[in-house]
C-alpha cells in the first residue's frame, strides 16, 4: 500500500472517530456510535430503516450521519483488508516461485466495486451528510492507487474500444424533429446588462455561443463515452436512473445502477421501447462527482437579480445562496412533461439536441394542471397534457390546450435557454443528450 493511500485511510479513520460534541450524530445512542469502526453493517441497516421511516426532508440528521459514517467505516475496512491481502498474496507468490510451499487462493476483484457502491449509496441515500469531501478523497485516492492495473480495467478498455462517440447523428435521423413555428427570442452571448433588461420582459431567451469556454465542450468532452467512464471510476459509480419515457407515465419507475450499466443498456444500445428508456434526470451529479463539476462553470447570468414570481400563484421558495445544479443525461426520446419550476432556470446544452416548448403563467388555465394525488403528493406544477399527443386526443380530452400560446426552440450544443420562474416547459431529447440546469433566485 503506497503512502498516499495509507495516509488517506488514516485521515479518514481519524475523522469518523473523533466526533465533535456539536455533531448531530451524537444524538444517536453512544452504544451505537462505539460500533461504527468495528460493526458498520448492522448500523447501516439500522440507519437505512430510519431513512424510510420519515419523509426524506424530515429524517433526523443523526440517522443520515450514522448511515454515512458507517458506510465510510465499511469502505475503509474493505480497502485495508483487500490491499493488505493483495500485498501478502504477491509476497507469498514470490516465495512460491523461489521454492516455497505457499498456496494462496486468487483474490477476487469484486471488492473495488463494493467499496464504490457503499460510498455512493451514502451519497445518494443520505446525501453524504457532512462527509462529501471525505468520500470524494477516498474514492479519488483509491482510483489513483489502482491506476491502470486496477480491477476490471480490461473490461473497461473493451467497453471504451466499442464506444467511440455517442450516436447523435443516427438519433437525429430517427427522431421526430418538430418544425419551429413560434421561436423563442434569441441572442448571441448578451451582456449582463442586456440580459437583465430582457428578464424584465419575463420571457424566455435562447442564448447562443454561451458555453464555448467550458472544458466539457472540448478539452474534457462529455461527448466522449471514454472520458465519462474515466470520470466515473471505470463506470463503477452509482447513479439514480428513471426508467420510462416520462415520470407521468403509469409504467415509470426508478433504479440505482452503475454508470457503466447505464451506458451499455441505455446510451449505446439500439433504441429501446419508450417504456424502457433510462434517464439520469434532475440529479446533483456534481456534488457526487466533483471532478465533473470542474468541467463546467456557473453562467454569469445566474448572478443577476431576477424579477419576482408574480403570476405563479405560489409563495416564492427560500433565497438560494448559490445556484442549484442538476444533471440531465439520457438517450433520444426521453421526456420531461409540461411542468413549472420554483426558480429561474438556465438550461445549458452540452451534448446533443433537445426540443423545448414553453408557456407563460398566463396560459395556466388552458394547461390542465394536476392536483393533489394519492399519498398527498402535490402535482400542481405538472400538466395532465401530453404536449405531443395526437390532435384527436388533445381535442377530445383537453379542448382548451390547443388555444394556449407558446414559444418553442431546438436547443443545440453550446446553447443555453433562460426559463423564467413559473413558466411551463416541456422538454424532449432529439438525440443522446447531456444538459445541466442552473436554478437561482
Amino acid at each position: 500500500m503506497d503512502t498516499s493511500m495509507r495516509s488517506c485511510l488514516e485521515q479518514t479513520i481519524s475523522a469518523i472517530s473523533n466526533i465533535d460534541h456539536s455533531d448531530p450524530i451524537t444524538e444517536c445512542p453512544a452504544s451505537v456510535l462505539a460500533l461504527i469502526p468495528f460493526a458498520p453493517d448492522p448500523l447501516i441497516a439500522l440507519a437505512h430503516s430510519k431513512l424510510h421511516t420519515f419523509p426524506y426532508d424530515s429524517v433526523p440528521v443523526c440517522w443520515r450521519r450514522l448511515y454515512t459514517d458507517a458506510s465510510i467505516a465499511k469502505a475503509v475496512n474493505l480497502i485495508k483488508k483487500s490491499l493488505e491481502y493483495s500485498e501478502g498474496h504477491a509476497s507469498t507468490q514470490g516465495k512460491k516461485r523461489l521454492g516455497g510451499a505457499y498456496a494462496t487462493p486468487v483474490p477476487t476483484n469484486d471488492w473495488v466495486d463494493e467499496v464504490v457502491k457503499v460510498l455512493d449509496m451514502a451519497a445518494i441515500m443520505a446525501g453524504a451528510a457532512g462527509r462529501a469531501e471525505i468520500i470524494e478523497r477516498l474514492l479519488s485516492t483509491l482510483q489513483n492507487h489502482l491506476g491502470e492495473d486496477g480491477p476490471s480495467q480490461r473490461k473497461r478498455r473493451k467497453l471504451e474500444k466499442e464506444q467511440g462517440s455517442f450516436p447523435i447523428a443516427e438519433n437525429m435521423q430517427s427522431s421526430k424533429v418538430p418544425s419551429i413555428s413560434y421561436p423563442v427570442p434569441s441572442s448571441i452571448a448578451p451582456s449582463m446588462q442586456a440580459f437583465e433588461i430582457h428578464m424584465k420582459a419575463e420571457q424566455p431567451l435562447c442564448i447562443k455561443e454561451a458555453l464555448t469556454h467550458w472544458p466539457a465542450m472540448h478539452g474534457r468532452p462529455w461527448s466522449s463515452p471514454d472520458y465519462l467512464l474515466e470520470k466515473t471510476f471505470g463506470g463503477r459509480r452509482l447513479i439514480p436512473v428513471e426508467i420510462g419515457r416520462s415520470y407521468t407515465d403509469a409504467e415509470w419507475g426508478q433504479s440505482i445502477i452503475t454508470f457503466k450499466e447505464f451506458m451499455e443498456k441505455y446510451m449505446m444500445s439500439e433504441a429501446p421501447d419508450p417504456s424502457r428508456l433510462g434517464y439520469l434526470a434532475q440529479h446533483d451529479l456534481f456534488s457526487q462527482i466533483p471532478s465533473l463539476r470542474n468541467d463546467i462553470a456557473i453562467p454569469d447570468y445566474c448572478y443577476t437579480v431576477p424579477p419576482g414570481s408574480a403570476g405563479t400563484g405560489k409563495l416564492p421558495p427560500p433565497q438560494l445562496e448559490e445556484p442549484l445544479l442538476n444533471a440531465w443525461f439520457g438517450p433520444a426520446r426521453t421526456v420531461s412533461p409540461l411542468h413549472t419550476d420554483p426558480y429561474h432556470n438556465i438550461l445549458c446544452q452540452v451534448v446533443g439536441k433537445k426540443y423545448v416548448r414553453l408557456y407563460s403563467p398566463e396560459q395556466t388555465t388552458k394547461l390542465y394542471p394536476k392536483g393533489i394525488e394519492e399519498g398527498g403528493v402535490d402535482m400542481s406544477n405538472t400538466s395532465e397534457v401530453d404536449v405531443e399527443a395526437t390532435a384527436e386526443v388533445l381535442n377530445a380530452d383537453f379542448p382548451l390546450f390547443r388555444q394556449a400560446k407558446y414559444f418553442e426552440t431546438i436547443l443545440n450544443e453550446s446553447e443555453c435557454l433562460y426559463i423564467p420562474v413559473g413558466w411551463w416547459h416541456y422538454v424532449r431529447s432529439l438525440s443522446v443528450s447531456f444538459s445541466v440546469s442552473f436554478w437561482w433566485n
Side-chain angles (χ1 to χ4, degrees):
M1 189 186 306
D2 64 28
T3 304
S4 60
M5 187 75 252
R6 190 181 304 278
S7 174
C8 179
L9 292 175
E10 291 173 352
Q11 291 174 16
T12 301
I13 294 169
S14 176
I16 64 175
S17 300
N18 299 314
I19 300 173
D20 188 88
H21 292 299
S22 62
D23 192 323
I25 199 173
T26 57
E27 296 176 19
C28 295
S31 58
V32 168
L33 300 182
L35 293 174
I36 290 177
F38 313 106
D41 283 297
L43 302 187
I44 292 172
L46 171 63
H48 185 271
S49 69
K50 298 295 184 180
L51 294 180
H52 288 81
T53 301
F54 307 88
Y56 184 80
D57 292 341
S58 302
V59 175
V61 178
C62 64
W63 297 116
R64 294 198 289 118
R65 286 284 293 106
L66 179 63
Y67 189 103
T68 301
D69 278 18
S71 298
I72 292 172
K74 179 176 180 177
V76 168
N77 292 343
L78 278 169
I79 294 170
K80 289 180 65 178
K81 180 179 178 181
S82 300
L83 290 181
E84 288 170 357
Y85 178 89
S86 297
E87 291 171 355
H89 174 66
S91 174
T92 56
Q93 287 294 90
K95 291 181 180 180
K96 184 177 180 180
R97 285 193 295 271
L98 293 172
Y102 294 95
T104 309
V106 177
T108 176
N109 287 332
D110 294 341
W111 69 270
V112 181
D113 296 345
E114 181 66 15
V115 166
V116 176
K117 177 182 178 181
V118 166
L119 294 174
D120 268 338
M121 288 300 290
I124 294 169
M125 295 296 296
R131 303 297 197 194
E133 291 184 5
I134 290 176
I135 289 175
E136 174 60 20
R137 183 172 67 245
L138 195 55
L139 285 169
S140 61
T141 304
L142 178 60
Q143 186 172 7
N144 291 336
H145 174 78
L146 295 172
E148 286 301 313
D149 295 323
S152 301
Q153 288 295 323
R154 286 189 299 275
K155 290 183 179 179
R156 180 168 68 87
R157 284 193 289 267
K158 180 177 183 292
L159 179 63
E160 291 175 348
K161 186 176 181 180
E162 295 170 352
Q163 298 179 350
S165 61
F166 290 117
I168 292 175
E170 294 87 337
N171 292 162
M172 293 298 296
Q173 291 174 0
S174 61
S175 293
K176 183 176 70 173
V177 180
S179 58
I180 304 300
S181 301
Y182 307 102
V184 173
S186 65
S187 178
I188 297 176
S191 66
M192 295 282 280
Q193 181 180 15
F195 181 72
E196 287 187 319
I197 291 172
H198 177 86
M199 282 197 299
K200 293 178 181 178
E202 298 188 8
Q203 287 193 347
L205 179 69
C206 185
I207 304 171
K208 300 182 180 297
E209 299 181 14
L211 311 179
T212 53
H213 61 292
W214 280 15
M217 300 298 304
H218 40 82
R220 301 194 288 269
W222 290 4
S223 58
S224 165
D226 299 6
Y227 178 73
L228 295 177
L229 284 168
E230 176 187 340
K231 302 306 285 186
T232 55
F233 207 151
R236 294 183 182 89
R237 301 300 298 268
L238 294 183
I239 53 172
V241 175
E242 298 182 357
I243 309 299
R245 188 185 69 99
S246 164
Y247 67 76
T248 55
D249 293 349
E251 61 272 20
W252 179 87
Q254 294 175 293
S255 181
I256 295 177
I257 61 177
T258 67
F259 193 87
K260 178 175 177 286
E261 181 182 352
F262 175 70
M263 293 278 282
E264 291 178 326
K265 191 171 183 179
Y266 299 110
M267 303 303 297
M268 304 302 297
S269 61
E270 294 294 325
D273 180 275
S275 66
R276 303 308 303 166
L277 290 171
Y279 195 15
L280 172 63
Q282 197 170 337
H283 175 52
D284 187 5
L285 184 67
F286 310 109
S287 64
Q288 182 188 357
I289 308 177
S291 58
L292 283 174
R293 171 67 179 81
N294 297 331
D295 295 345
I296 60 177
I298 296 175
D300 290 342
Y301 306 118
C302 293
Y303 295 104
T304 56
V305 179
S309 55
T312 64
K314 296 183 178 181
L315 292 174
Q319 188 75 24
L320 297 174
E321 294 184 4
E322 286 289 330
L324 297 177
L325 281 65
N326 280 301
W328 307 79
F329 182 38
R333 298 189 294 168
T334 53
V335 166
S336 293
L338 191 61
H339 68 287
T340 65
D341 295 327
Y343 301 98
H344 293 267
N345 182 8
I346 289 189
L347 180 64
C348 299
Q349 192 65 17
V350 184
V351 178
K353 299 173 183 283
K354 282 182 169 173
Y355 171 71
V356 188
R357 189 186 293 189
L358 306 104
Y359 297 81
S360 77
E362 297 173 353
Q363 304 298 313
T364 297
T365 57
K366 301 174 184 176
L367 303 182
Y368 300 86
K370 293 175 178 285
I372 305 298
E373 299 199 341
E374 186 178 352
V377 179
D378 185 358
M379 293 290 289
S380 60
N381 74 323
T382 303
S383 169
E384 293 184 7
V385 181
D386 181 349
V387 168
E388 295 189 87
T390 64
E392 290 77 12
V393 169
L394 294 175
N395 288 332
D397 298 340
F398 310 104
L400 295 178
F401 178 72
R402 300 291 294 277
Q403 302 172 23
K405 297 178 181 179
Y406 61 87
F407 289 105
E408 59 186 343
T409 191
I410 292 177
L411 194 63
N412 298 297
E413 291 181 2
S414 195
E415 294 180 349
C416 301
L417 178 63
Y418 165 59
I419 305 174
V421 64
W423 272 66
W424 294 83
H425 48 288
Y426 164 89
V427 185
R428 175 166 62 87
S429 297
L430 301 177
S431 68
V432 166
S433 172
F434 204 147
S435 314
V436 183
S437 62
F438 297 84
W439 284 2
W440 93 102
N441 60 2

